[in-house]
Amino acid sequence: QVQLVESGGGLVQTGGSLRLSCVAATRTLSSYHMGWFRQPPGKEREFVASISWSGTYQYYADSVKGRFAISRDNARSTVYLQLNSLKAEDTAVYYCAAEWGKSRDRPPRFSNWGRGTQVTVSS
């Protein structure tokens, strides 16, 4: 189990940007595939992006490709999600997730979750 704490959410206008951070309470973040998910109001939680243990491979939902970017700093035990060109439909609680493993492939599920950070995009 690894504890995850997200930050960086807030209120932003359409077209604006935010940078979310996820700090993991582990010195071995390099052993985990990391991901970001979101849950819009009244909807199911959905995949946003994930990144392999080394940062070499990134995966994105079609709805955010070209606008969001995931990155990681294993030395700082931190994963980032840069959100650009934000739209009203990006409004959601954003969750950080971690799954142990050094496969290049996105894991089928994530076992460790943070509590989320709210992102609200106003028009």
Side-chain angles (χ1 to χ4, degrees):
Q1 290 283 347
V2 57
Q3 286 189 316
L4 305 169
V5 179
E6 305 95 334
S7 62
L11 175 64
V12 63
Q13 291 188 328
T14 300
S17 298
L18 281 174
R19 189 195 199 199
L20 306 183
S21 299
C22 170
V23 178
T26 178
R27 294 183 179 179
T28 58
L29 189 68
S30 59
S31 295
Y32 291 85
H33 190 114
M34 300 298 295
W36 286 95
F37 290 73
R38 68 185 181 186
Q39 187 166 17
K43 296 185 178 181
E44 301 267 325
R45 187 163 58 189
E46 61 186 19
F47 170 77
V48 175
S50 73
I51 187 167
S52 62
W53 68 276
S54 63
T56 302
Y57 302 101
Q58 298 104 43
Y59 304 88
Y60 295 95
D62 288 343
S63 58
V64 306
K65 277 180 184 176
R67 299 189 299 121
F68 292 6
I70 189 170
S71 61
R72 65 191 296 160
D73 184 340
N74 288 338
R76 295 178 184 271
S77 297
T78 304
V79 178
Y80 305 98
L81 186 67
Q82 179 68 40
L83 289 65
N84 298 323
S85 303
L86 283 161
K87 306 175 182 179
E89 51 263 42
D90 295 318
T91 295
V93 177
Y94 283 72
Y95 297 90
C96 179
E99 181 64 16
W100 190 91
K102 290 196 171 185
S103 168
R104 61 168 281 181
D105 298 324
R106 175 186 150 197
R109 68 175 186 275
F110 287 80
S111 301
N112 303 279
W113 294 86
R115 294 189 174 184
T117 185
Q118 176 71 47
V119 171
T120 303
V121 184
S122 66
S123 55

